[in-house]
C-alpha cells in the first residue's frame, strides 16, 4: 500500500483538490461564457469521531463544499474518498448505498420536512426506503429516536407545523440518525434558531456524536458556534480553504489575515481581553471573476506587492496548522 493509499484509508473522509464550478451561459445561443467557482480546489480530511468545523462568510462556498462532499452535487474536479474508497463518481445503487453512511442536517428544518407527513412517517421514511427493520419494530425504533432527541412520544402523530423551530431541528436530527450513519454533515444547523435554543441543539448534537459514534462536518458562519463544536476548523474564503488548524490553536494564534479579522469580530465576554477589531474593506469579490493571485488580496490589511501575482498554497506552518498566505511561504 502506498503512503497516499494508507492516508486515505486511515481517515473516514478525504477530499483532494475538490472543485465545484457552475457554468455561466450568455448570448443568443446560451454558450458557456465562464464559471462560478463556488469551490475552487479544496483538500481536507476528517478523522473518525472528530468534528471538523467549516467556517466562512455567507457565499464563501462552504455549503456547496458540504453538499459536494456528500455527493448531493457532482464534483467538477478532484477526488473524494470515504473509508478509503473513491466515491467521486459513484452512481445508482452504489451512490444510494453510500447515503446510508452519510446524512445531512439542513439549516431550515421546516423547509426540509414534508409538511404533509406525520413526524413518525418522516423519521421512519429512510428506514422504509432502505428496507431496514420489520414493520412491527419500526414504530418502537422511531419512538426511541424521538425520545432520544428530546421530543415527546406523541410527536409521532403530529405534523411539523405543530412544533417550534428547535423541535423541528430535533426531528431533522432524528431522521438523519435513523440509518445510523457514520458521517453527518450539518449545514448551519442552528443559524435559523433563537439564540436561547441554539446551545440546546448544539449540546444534543455533541451527546449524540458520542452515543452514535459519529463524525461531524459542521458548517457555520458563526465562529463562536464553530469553536464550541469543533476539534479542528477549516476557514473558507471565496471557494478556497485559507487556514486549517486545531480549534484551540486557530483561536489562540490565527495566522491568515482573514481568520484574524473574523476572530477579532467575536464579542469577548471579558472586556479586559478585548483586542482591536480588524475591519475589512470592500465586499467579497464575485466567484465568477475571482481576483488573480491571492483571492483575499483586494481586502487584505497585510497585502504585499507579490500578492496580486501569485496564488498561495495551503502549507504547513506547524503541526496540524496549515495556512495559505505568502507571508508564511
Ligand atoms: Fe494577504 Fe498576501 Fe497573505 Fe493573501 S497572500 S492573505 S493578500 S498577505
Amino acid at each position: 500500500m502506498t503512503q497516499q493509499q494508507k492516508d486515505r484509508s486511515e481517515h473516514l473522509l478525504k477530499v483532494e483538490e475538490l472543485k465545484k464550478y457552475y457554468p455561466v451561459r450568455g448570448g443568443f445561443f446560451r454558450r458557456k461564457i465562464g464559471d462560478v467557482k463556488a469551490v475552487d480546489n479544496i483538500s481536507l480530511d476528517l478523522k473518525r469521531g472528530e468534528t471538523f468545523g467549516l467556517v466562512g462568510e455567507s457565499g464563501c462556498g462552504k455549503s456547496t463544499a458540504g453538499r459536494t462532499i456528500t455527493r448531493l452535487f457532482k464534483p467538477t474536479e478532484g477526488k473524494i474518498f470515504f473509508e478509503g474508497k473513491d466515491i467521486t463518481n459513484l452512481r445508482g445503487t452504489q451512490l444510494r448505498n453510500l447515503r446510508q453512511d452519510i446524512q445531512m442536517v439542513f439549516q431550515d428544518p421546516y423547509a426540509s420536512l414534508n409538511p404533509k407527513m406525520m413526524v413518525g412517517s418522516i423519521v421512519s421514511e429512510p428506514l422504509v426506503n432502505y428496507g431496514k427493520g420489520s414493520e412491527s419494530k419500526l414504530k418502537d425504533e422511531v419512538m426511541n429516536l424521538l425520545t432520544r432527541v428530546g421530543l415527546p412520544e406523541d410527536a409521532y402523530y403530529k405534523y411539523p407545523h405543530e412544533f417550534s423551530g428547535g423541535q423541528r431541528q430535533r426531528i431533522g436530527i432524528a431522521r438523519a440518525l435513523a440509518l445510523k450513519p457514520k458521517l453527518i454533515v450539518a449545514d448551519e444547523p442552528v443559524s435559523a434558531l433563537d439564540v436561547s435554543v441554539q446551545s440546546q441543539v448544539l449540546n444534543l448534537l455533541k451527546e449524540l456524536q458520542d452515543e452514535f459514534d459519529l463524525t461531524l462536518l459542521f458548517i457555520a458562519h458563526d465562529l463562536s458556534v464553530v469553536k464550541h463544536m469543533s476539534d479542528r476548523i477549516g476557514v473558507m474564503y471565496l471557494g478556497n480553504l485559507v487556514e486549517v488548524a486545531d480549534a484551540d490553536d486557530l483561536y489562540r494564534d490565527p495566522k491568515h489575515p482573514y481568520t484574524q479579522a473574523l476572530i477579532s469580530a467575536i464579542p469577548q465576554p471579558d472586556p479586559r481581553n478585548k483586542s482591536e477589531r480588524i475591519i475589512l474593506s470592500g465586499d467579497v469579490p464575485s466567484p465568477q471573476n475571482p481576483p488573480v493571485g491571492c483571492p483575499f488580496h483586494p481586502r487584505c490589511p497585510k497585502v504585499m506587492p507579490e500578492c496580486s501575482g501569485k496564488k498561495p498554497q495551503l502549507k504547513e506552518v506547524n503541526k496540524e496548522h496549515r495556512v495559505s498566505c505568502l507571508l508564511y511561504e
Side-chain angles (χ1 to χ4, degrees):
M1 195 187 262
T2 65
Q3 186 57 40
Q4 202 177 31
Q5 286 168 329
K6 199 161 166 265
D7 284 352
R8 286 167 181 167
S9 59
E10 274 174 2
H11 293 95
L12 181 70
L13 181 87
K14 196 155 176 62
V15 174
E16 295 177 358
E17 297 176 1
L18 188 71
K19 294 183 183 175
K20 178 65 189 168
Y21 292 179
Y22 295 99
V24 179
R25 299 187 186 278
F28 186 71
F29 294 106
R30 307 282 304 148
R31 287 208 180 96
K32 186 176 155 190
I33 54 168
D35 285 301
V36 172
K37 297 177 177 175
V39 176
D40 197 11
N41 204 353
I42 66 167
S43 298
L44 55 87
D45 52 71
L46 265 70
K47 299 166 190 161
R48 278 174 207 276
E50 79 167 337
T51 301
F52 187 96
L54 202 52
V55 71
E57 289 165 292
S58 100
C60 70
K62 55 191 188 305
S63 289
T64 307
R67 280 158 212 239
T68 311
I69 287 167
T70 53
R71 286 297 325 275
L72 286 180
F73 296 163
K74 196 173 182 320
T76 306
E77 263 180 48
K79 293 275 181 203
I80 310 164
F81 297 89
F82 184 75
E83 297 192 303
K85 186 179 161 200
D86 187 350
I87 62 162
T88 321
N89 296 308
L90 288 191
R91 292 166 168 218
T93 312
Q94 288 181 316
L95 184 57
R96 193 176 129 78
N97 290 340
L98 176 76
R99 302 246 178 270
Q100 297 183 61
D101 287 332
I102 307 180
Q103 289 284 311
M104 277 203 80
V105 172
F106 296 95
Q107 175 180 358
D108 182 350
Y110 198 54
S112 62
L113 304 175
N114 186 337
K116 293 183 185 152
M117 281 169 80
M118 279 196 298
V119 168
S121 307
I122 290 173
V123 177
S124 58
E125 193 178 36
L127 293 165
V128 173
N129 287 347
Y130 283 91
K132 301 269 175 184
S134 63
E135 215 170 292
S136 56
K137 286 191 185 152
L138 207 60
K139 189 172 171 190
D140 287 346
E141 208 166 316
V142 173
M143 288 282 197
N144 284 340
L145 271 171
L146 293 175
T147 317
R148 183 56 200 92
V149 298
L151 291 165
E153 281 195 357
D154 68 350
Y156 191 96
Y157 301 102
K158 293 186 173 176
Y159 290 88
H161 74 265
E162 297 178 73
F163 294 92
S164 66
Q167 286 175 319
R168 285 201 286 259
Q169 196 52 293
R170 286 171 195 265
I171 300 167
I173 292 170
R175 185 180 57 180
L177 284 175
L179 289 167
K180 304 208 168 38
K182 293 173 182 160
L183 170 66
I184 286 192
V185 176
D187 186 5
E188 301 269 12
V190 296
S191 55
L193 306 178
D194 287 347
V195 178
S196 57
V197 182
Q198 287 188 355
S199 59
Q200 293 169 15
V201 174
L202 293 176
N203 290 337
L204 173 69
L205 275 172
K206 275 193 156 185
E207 287 165 26
L208 295 170
Q209 180 173 26
D210 290 340
E211 200 176 319
F212 287 76
D213 206 12
L214 289 168
T215 304
L216 275 180
L217 176 60
F218 188 87
I219 300 170
H221 68 278
D222 182 337
L223 259 132
S224 41
V225 168
V226 173
K227 184 185 182 198
H228 179 75
M229 288 298 291
S230 310
D231 301 302
R232 287 189 304 140
I233 294 175
V235 181
M236 277 190 79
Y237 183 79
L238 209 57
N240 295 264
L241 257 183
V242 296
E243 188 159 6
V244 179
D246 174 81
D248 291 335
D249 201 17
L250 188 94
Y251 284 81
R252 193 179 51 245
D253 185 20
K255 304 280 189 201
H256 196 282
Y258 177 61
T259 316
Q260 290 167 354
L262 288 182
I263 289 179
S264 79
I266 301 176
Q268 292 289 340
D270 183 348
R272 286 171 299 179
N273 293 338
K274 198 163 170 42
S275 53
E276 200 177 324
R277 173 144 188 212
I278 303 164
I279 308 280
L280 295 177
S281 58
D283 295 322
V284 182
S286 161
Q288 190 183 337
N289 192 15
V292 177
C294 171
F296 188 53
H297 87 260
R299 303 174 76 199
C300 181
K302 297 184 179 170
V303 64
M304 307 176 288
E306 56 268 43
C307 299
S308 54
K310 185 179 172 195
K311 186 171 180 177
Q313 303 300 312
L314 202 59
K315 292 204 170 146
E316 204 158 86
V317 280
N318 55 45
K319 198 173 173 289
E320 298 276 354
H321 198 146
R322 291 181 294 151
V323 63
S324 119
C325 171
L326 296 178
L327 287 168
Y328 303 93
E329 285 191 9

